[in-house]
Amino acid sequence: MRAGSVRRGVNGSSPLRLGALAAAAALLAGCGGTTSSQTTTTTTAAATTTSATTTAPATATTGASASAGDVFGRIPELVDRVSPSVVTVLTSGDATTGTGSGVIWSADGIIVTNDHVVDGAGSIQVALASGRRLDARVVATDPLTDIAVVRVDEDGLPAAEFATELPPVGSLAVAIGTPLGLENTVTAGIVSGLHRNVPFSSSGSLVDLIQTDAAISPGNSGGALVDGQGRVIGINVAYVPPEARAVAIGFAIPSTTVVDVVGQLLESGSVQHAFLGVQPGAITPDLADQLDLTVGQGAIVLAVTPGTAAEQAGLEPGDVITGIGDTTVDRVEDLYAALRRSRPGERVVLTVVRNGETLELEAELGERSP
C-alpha cells in the first residue's frame, strides 16, 4: 500500500497529506459522498473517485461447529431487526450536497454519525428507514474520533443496541447504510482485525479501529456495523480504495469508543482527550540503523512539545517509548490507543529505551486542545 492524500470529510473538505512518518499508510477515503450538481461520489484522496467507509466487528456464533450457512443465514433476520435503526443523513451547503449514514442512539431523536459527514453542512436532514424525512441539527462533535451527535425532533424512534465489548476476529460483520444514495443497503463479511489505525495527518490518527471486509461505498460513513446478535459493533468511517491495490479493507470506529464519546458529548458537549506532548514516529529498519537504535519496536520520539507532560516527565527526542502503563507499545498506533483510553490528569508510567538503557518515567497527562 502506498501513502497518499486523505480527504475524510464531505461537504467540500480539503485533502490532507499523509505525513512522511506514516510508513505504509494506505490511501484512505471517507464515506460521506459529497457531491455537486455534476458529481455523485468523492473519495478521501481525489476529488471525484469512488470511496467509502466500513469495517466491522461482530460476534456471530459462539460455537466452533457453526457452519458458514448457519452464520450467514441469520442475516435476513438481523437486517429486519436493525435496519429501522439506520438512517440516511443528507447535507447541503455552499453549492454542495452530501449523503452519509447514521444510527439511532435513543428513542428521543439522538442520532450518531461521523463528524466528517456533517462538518460544514448548512442544513441537515435525516431520512428514516420508512422514508420519512426530518430536519436535524448538530448537538456536538468530536473531530479527533470523527464522531458527531445530531438530533431530530421526534420521539419513539427505534434505537439500536450498541455492543459494550470488542468483537472476536473472524466473526460476522454486517454493514448497513446508504452507499451512493442507495438506502438500506446491506453487505456482509467478517471482522478482519482489531486495533487498526488510519493516519490522516502527520499529527494524528484514527486509532483502535475495527477492520472488516464487508463491502462499502461512498455514503456508508456513519452507518452501522452489526454483529451476529444484531448489536452495533462499529460506526463505519474509512476504507482503502482499489487504486491502493487493496481489496475489501474497511474500518469502523468500535462501539466501545462510540459509547464513551457519545456519553461525554451528550453530557458536556465535548470530549476530554489525554495529551502527552510528543511527536511519535514509526521505527523503520533504515531509521534504526541511522540512529543506532537497540530496539526494533516501539514509538520513537521525534519532538517534545515544551511545557507538556512529556517534557515534565523528562522525555527527549530519540527516546523510544515501548510501554505506557500496562500497555506494550510496539507501534505508534499502540501509543495513540493507550492515550485514547486515558484521561487528562491521569498519572502513567512510560517505559522508555534511551541509548540502550531502559528507563521508567512518570507523567501526568494533560488535555489535548480541540
Side-chain angles (χ1 to χ4, degrees):
M1 293 185 283
R2 60 185 176 88
S5 57
V6 174
R7 194 198 305 161
R8 292 165 47 243
V10 296
N11 300 315
S13 49
S14 58
L16 298 172
R17 176 65 56 182
L18 289 180
L21 295 173
L27 184 62
L28 299 166
C31 298
T34 304
T35 65
S36 67
S37 57
Q38 300 297 320
T39 310
T40 55
T41 61
T42 64
T43 69
T44 53
T48 54
T49 341
T50 301
S51 80
T53 304
T54 223
T55 239
T59 46
T61 66
T62 55
S65 60
S67 67
D70 294 334
V71 174
F72 282 86
R74 301 179 182 184
I75 294 177
E77 178 186 350
L78 295 176
V79 171
D80 285 344
R81 181 157 31 120
V82 180
S83 281
S85 301
V86 181
V87 303
T88 299
V89 179
L90 305 163
T91 62
S92 62
D94 297 331
T96 63
T97 60
T99 302
S101 304
V103 180
I104 298 174
W105 174 266
S106 60
D108 60 352
I110 295 296
I111 292 166
V112 179
T113 185
N114 288 143
D115 173 65
H116 75 256
V117 170
V118 298
D119 182 36
S123 64
I124 304 171
Q125 280 196 326
V126 166
L128 304 179
S130 64
R132 288 183 58 208
R133 290 194 178 189
L134 303 170
D135 290 333
R137 62 187 182 278
V138 174
V139 174
T141 67
D142 182 44
L144 287 179
T145 54
D146 204 359
I147 292 174
V149 174
V150 302
R151 178 186 287 277
V152 295
D153 293 325
E154 186 78 8
D155 290 320
L157 297 179
E161 177 186 359
F162 285 75
T164 56
E165 74 283 341
L166 291 173
V169 174
S171 58
L172 179 66
V174 178
I176 306 176
T178 306
L180 301 175
L182 301 172
E183 298 179 359
N184 301 318
T185 292
V186 179
T187 58
I190 62 170
V191 174
S192 305
L194 300 174
H195 308 299
R196 306 304 196 202
N197 83 314
V198 177
F200 60 85
S201 76
S202 60
S203 61
S205 299
L206 290 171
V207 300
D208 245 359
L209 301 179
I210 297 167
Q211 179 185 335
T212 186
D213 66 348
I216 54 173
S217 298
N220 272 114
S221 278
L225 247 218
V226 181
D227 68 7
Q229 299 175 40
R231 304 176 303 172
V232 175
I233 38 129
I235 295 294
N236 299 329
V237 72
Y239 89 114
V240 184
E243 53 264 37
R245 296 183 296 176
V247 177
I249 299 178
F251 303 94
I253 305 165
S255 56
T256 49
T257 299
V258 175
V259 169
D260 177 42
V261 170
V262 172
Q264 291 189 62
L265 289 176
L266 291 175
E267 181 177 354
S268 65
S270 62
V271 179
Q272 290 187 324
H273 293 284
F275 184 61
L276 180 59
V278 298
Q279 180 184 348
I283 298 178
T284 64
D286 287 344
L287 187 62
D289 288 341
Q290 291 173 15
L291 301 181
D292 197 24
L293 299 179
T294 58
V295 290
Q297 293 181 312
I300 188 168
V301 177
L302 300 174
V304 176
T305 304
T308 62
E311 183 184 58
Q312 294 166 6
L315 278 170
E316 300 176 359
D319 287 347
V320 177
I321 300 174
T322 59
I324 176 169
D326 296 330
T327 301
T328 298
V329 175
D330 291 329
R331 301 168 297 170
V332 171
E333 56 262 41
D334 296 331
L335 177 61
Y336 282 136
L339 291 173
R340 181 64 48 78
R341 293 189 293 267
S342 303
R343 288 287 183 264
E346 184 177 340
R347 300 189 72 86
V348 297
V349 175
L350 303 170
T351 303
V352 174
V353 176
R354 179 185 297 166
N355 298 324
E357 181 182 358
T358 299
L359 308 174
E360 288 191 347
L361 306 176
E362 188 173 350
E364 182 175 340
L365 299 174
E367 183 172 357
R368 182 168 183 171
S369 301

